[in-house]
């Protein structure tokens, strides 16, 4: 097969900028981006200015680094009929935040990771801060476990065999047999938890969101500071999370 011909070089370079930034969630300087895409700084700067104007990229004035916004995720988020997942989720997410008092997030699977597509922050003075577009692994946190456990069994096994079980805290699951057992537990109880498995002092409770065919579509979860959301509250919090996830499913299927 002949090699495809690039007939829109500016578009090609713009996409290269987006891909470079996607690989560096913490952000990149102009020089780093220019080097990554193999282009001169002046033309790279013009590309970035256009992407900023179109709200795909933002600059951190304190570090002078550029990073992606969540706009690409909003364009690519799951839809049912003409209704987006986020559109169907916001009211339920706010109600869940008010019920448990902690930050609520929704995420979708992308390959062997999950990615946050929307958040409703806690009203507490001390709260969990997250960025839309943040990617997370599937083995070390409650939403990741949901996205892993509720996959088709064959795909779940292939994923477990494929992913690296990186250790983040002393409680991170790093053994594949233990992860398989945890997935079975998550499917049986209908929700997942983690108690400082990804970050010390942060607890999470997550539930699946399914589409009209009952296939996994996304995950909804609550993140709280351990002192305010100890393990003893997980069952009660899980009931609220599953209730909110059920409401989102109802709206998606309406």
């Amino acid at each position: 097969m002949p090699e495809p011909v690039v007939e829109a070089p500016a578009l090609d370079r713009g996409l290269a900028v987006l891909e470079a930034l996607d690989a560096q969630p913490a952000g990149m300087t102009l020089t780093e981006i220019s080097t990554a895409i193999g282009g001169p700084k002046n033309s790279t700067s013009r590309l970035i200015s256009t992407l900023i104007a179109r709200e795909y990229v933002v600059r951190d004035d304190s570090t002078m680094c550029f990073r992606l916004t969540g706009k690409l995720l909003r364009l690519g988020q799951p839809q049912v009929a003409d209704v987006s997942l986020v559109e169907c989720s916001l009211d339920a997410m706010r109600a869940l935040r008010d019920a448990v008092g902690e930050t609520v997030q929704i995420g979708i699977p992308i390959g062997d990771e999950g990615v946050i597509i929307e958040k409703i922050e806690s009203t507490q003075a001390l709260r969990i801060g997250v960025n839309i577009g943040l990617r997370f692994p599937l083995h070390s946190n409650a939403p990741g476990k949901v996205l892993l456990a509720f996959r088709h069994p064959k795909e779940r096994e292939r994923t477990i065999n494929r992913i690296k079980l990186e250790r983040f805290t002393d409680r991170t699951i790093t053994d594949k047999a233990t992860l398989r057992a945890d997935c079975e537990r998550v499917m049986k109880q209908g929700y997942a938890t983690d108690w400082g498995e990804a970050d010390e002092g942060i607890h999470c409770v997550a539930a699946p969101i399914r589409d009209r065919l009952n296939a996994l579509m996304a995950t909804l979860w609550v993140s709280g500071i351990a002192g305010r959301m100890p393990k003893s509250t997980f069952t009660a919090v899980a009931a609220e999370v599953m209730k909110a996830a059920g409401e989102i499913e109802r709206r998606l299927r309406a």
Side-chain angles (χ1 to χ4, degrees):
M1 292 290 292
E3 289 292 325
V5 177
V6 175
E7 297 184 354
L11 175 59
D12 185 62
R13 290 194 299 272
L15 292 172
V17 171
L18 295 177
E19 290 172 357
L21 290 173
D22 180 60
Q24 299 292 336
M28 301 173 72
T29 65
L30 173 59
T31 299
E32 290 170 336
I33 297 171
S34 178
T35 300
I37 69 170
K41 288 177 66 174
N42 57 350
S43 62
T44 302
S45 179
R46 290 195 295 271
L47 289 171
I48 294 172
S49 294
T50 300
L51 292 170
I52 290 174
R54 301 287 295 185
E55 299 182 344
Y56 289 98
V57 172
V58 67
R59 186 181 73 172
D60 185 330
D61 290 332
S62 63
T63 64
M64 302 302 288
C65 285
F66 301 93
R67 58 177 176 81
L68 293 179
T69 67
K71 187 171 184 179
L72 282 171
L73 292 173
R74 292 194 294 273
L75 292 178
Q77 68 179 252
Q79 301 235 158
V80 175
D82 294 326
V83 182
S84 75
L85 172 60
V86 167
E87 184 180 352
C88 287
S89 302
L90 287 173
D91 287 345
M93 292 175 71
R94 293 189 186 100
L96 177 58
R97 186 270 314 275
D98 293 343
V100 300
E102 301 294 347
T103 296
V104 176
Q105 295 137 91
I106 190 168
I108 59 174
I110 294 185
D112 291 342
E113 295 178 302
V115 63
I116 298 172
I117 62 170
E118 190 55 273
K119 64 176 180 177
I120 302 292
E121 289 194 351
S122 168
T123 56
Q124 304 268 10
L126 184 61
R127 55 185 179 267
I128 307 299
V130 295
N131 293 321
I132 294 174
L134 177 70
R135 295 194 180 196
F136 52 89
L138 302 182
H139 70 289
S140 62
N141 54 82
K145 292 177 187 179
V146 165
L147 295 180
L148 180 62
F150 287 92
R151 293 186 173 196
H152 186 280
K154 289 184 179 179
E155 177 56 26
R156 181 176 65 243
E157 183 60 23
R158 284 193 292 264
T159 304
I160 290 174
N161 288 331
R162 210 167 41 229
I163 60 177
K164 179 182 178 182
L165 305 187
E166 183 179 354
R167 181 182 296 278
F168 298 102
T169 74
D170 290 342
R171 290 171 294 284
T172 305
I173 294 174
T174 57
D175 175 75
K176 292 185 186 293
T178 302
L179 183 58
R180 291 185 183 96
D182 207 40
C183 285
E184 294 294 333
R185 178 184 60 81
V186 169
M187 287 188 292
K188 182 177 180 179
Q189 65 187 15
Y191 66 90
T193 64
D194 78 76
W195 53 295
E197 295 170 41
D199 298 283
E200 290 287 355
I202 296 178
H203 290 177
C204 300
V205 179
I209 297 172
R210 301 177 178 90
D211 63 18
R212 290 174 176 174
L213 299 177
N214 211 37
L216 177 69
M217 186 178 190
T219 179
L220 177 73
W221 73 98
V222 170
S223 297
I225 295 168
R228 288 201 307 258
M229 199 172 83
K231 290 178 68 176
S232 60
T233 67
F234 281 2
T235 301
V237 172
E240 295 291 344
V241 176
M242 289 190 289
K243 176 182 174 183
E247 175 61 18
I248 294 169
E249 291 177 347
R250 185 191 67 76
R251 294 190 181 198
L252 285 168
R253 297 169 182 178

